[in-house]
């Protein structure tokens, strides 16, 4: 009888201990995470061949960033350790010309009348790390800064016009779809309006493995690197769970 009572008491103590640990999240704890749809839009700028042969910064092409746009939609998931990921699909548009550019500085003909526009589609996946603060309610912190980096692929179609006899030494690719890997990275800020909607802004840069975002590649030594473009986007986030 004593053994039975001791056994029952031991089982009860184990159950109480397990239940206490469950309440403290030590046993049977589910990994907390949140999933959201994120929409971004804003201007961007293409650093197409940004350095001249002497190493001085100065784009060969003049651009109006108000005519360059970036729009994307994606899914973001953040885990309890503040790490997460985001998968996005984006559309980008670039346009530019050599009007107002001192092309003599770059050993080119000032009357070449060069202009281009490029449409691009991109699929990407990035890893994120978030830092949150300013807890107003018991379950979430309204302020968040985050950094991200990842990989993607971009397909783009450059359309350009120029005087062929003046740019005969340039490698030209126009009216054809070009596919290139891309490395997106950047930082952002997010503010929770409530438990569902958030607004924010982010600075994003994308390094491409192509030098034809503007449709041409200058001959060495003017062409120093592949094309890079940068954007400043406003963000709208809707939390799904």
């Amino acid at each position: 009888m004593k053994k039975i009572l001791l056994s029952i008491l031991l089982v009860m103590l184990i159950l109480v201990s397990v239940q206490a640990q469950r309440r403290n999240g030590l046993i049977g704890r589910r990994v907390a995470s949140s999933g959201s749809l994120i929409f971004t839009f804003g201007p961007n700028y293409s650093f197409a061949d940004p350095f001249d042969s002497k190493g001085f910064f100065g784009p060969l092409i003049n651009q109006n960033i108000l005519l360059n746009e970036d729009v994307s939609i994606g899914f973001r998931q953040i885990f309890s350790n503040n790490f997460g990921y985001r998968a996005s699909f984006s559309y980008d548009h670039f346009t530019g010309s050599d009007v107002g550019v001192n092309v003599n500085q770059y050993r080119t003909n000032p009357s070449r009348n060069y202009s281009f526009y490029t449409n691009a589609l991109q699929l990407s996946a990035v890893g994120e790390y978030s830092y949150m603060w300013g807890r107003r309610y018991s379950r979430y912190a309204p302020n968040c800064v985050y950094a991200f980096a990842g990989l993607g692929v971009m397909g783009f179609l450059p359309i350009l016009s120029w005087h062929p006899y003046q740019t005969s030494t340039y490698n030209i690719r126009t009216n054809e779809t070009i596919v290139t890997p891309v490395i997106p990275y950047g930082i952002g800020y997010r503010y929770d309006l409530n438990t569902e909607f958030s607004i924010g802004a982010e600075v994003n840069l994308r390094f491409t493995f192509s030098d034809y975002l503007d449709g041409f590649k200058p001959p060495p030594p003017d062409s120093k690197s592949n094309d890079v473009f940068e954007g400043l986007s406003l963000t709208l986030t809707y939390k799904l769970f």
Side-chain angles (χ1 to χ4, degrees):
M1 187 65 179
K2 289 182 180 181
K3 291 183 178 180
I4 295 176
L5 291 175
L6 289 174
S7 298
I8 293 174
L9 181 60
L10 180 61
V11 171
M12 290 178 63
L13 289 173
I14 293 174
L15 290 176
V16 170
S17 176
V18 169
Q19 182 64 23
Q21 291 182 359
R22 284 181 184 273
R23 289 179 180 176
N24 291 329
L26 299 178
I27 295 179
R29 180 185 178 186
R30 296 179 62 186
V31 176
S33 67
S34 64
S36 306
L37 289 178
I38 177 171
F39 175 73
T40 74
F41 60 97
N44 57 27
Y45 186 88
S46 169
F47 291 91
D49 301 296
F51 298 97
D52 66 10
S53 60
K54 297 180 181 179
F56 293 105
F57 184 81
L60 291 169
I61 300 299
N62 184 40
Q63 298 178 68
N64 183 348
I65 63 172
L66 297 180
L67 300 178
N68 294 352
E69 58 184 338
D70 170 69
V71 180
S72 76
I73 186 170
F75 173 78
R76 168 192 282 145
Q77 186 169 12
I78 302 175
F79 301 102
S80 59
N81 58 4
N82 292 342
F83 284 95
Y85 68 91
R86 176 172 48 167
S88 300
F89 174 76
S90 65
Y91 164 78
D92 295 277
H93 175 75
F94 304 95
T95 183
S97 70
D98 58 14
V99 176
V101 176
N102 182 13
V103 291
N104 277 325
Q105 179 182 356
Y106 306 105
R107 300 186 295 107
T108 56
N109 194 308
S111 61
R112 60 181 182 158
N113 295 325
Y114 181 93
S115 63
F116 81 99
Y117 69 89
T118 299
N119 294 316
L121 297 176
Q122 176 185 302
L123 284 173
S124 63
V126 301
E128 289 188 357
Y129 179 77
S130 303
Y131 174 76
M132 291 167 279
W133 79 95
R135 189 176 300 274
R136 295 186 303 173
Y137 305 103
S138 60
R139 293 192 175 182
Y140 75 99
N143 298 287
C144 174
V145 292
Y146 57 91
F148 60 90
L151 294 172
V153 60
M154 183 175 69
F156 60 97
L157 178 66
I159 307 295
L160 55 96
S161 63
W162 78 104
H163 293 316
Y165 71 91
Q166 293 174 350
T167 58
S168 58
T169 58
Y170 284 27
N171 294 315
I172 301 293
R173 297 186 67 177
T174 182
N175 296 296
E176 63 173 301
T177 300
I178 303 171
V179 179
T180 179
V182 61
I183 299 178
Y185 55 98
I187 57 174
Y189 169 78
R190 183 173 67 251
Y191 179 80
D192 291 342
L193 297 174
N194 51 43
T195 57
E196 294 181 339
F197 288 96
S198 304
I199 57 174
E202 67 179 34
V203 176
N204 59 79
L205 293 95
R206 281 168 279 186
F207 175 83
T208 74
F209 287 79
S210 173
D211 199 15
Y212 290 97
L213 196 61
D214 52 7
F216 79 105
K217 180 180 179 67
D222 285 334
S223 181
K224 289 288 186 178
S225 61
N226 293 328
D227 294 335
V228 179
F229 57 102
E230 177 182 3
L232 174 63
S233 299
L234 300 178
T235 65
L236 175 64
T237 304
Y238 174 72
K239 188 173 292 185
L240 298 174
F241 60 86

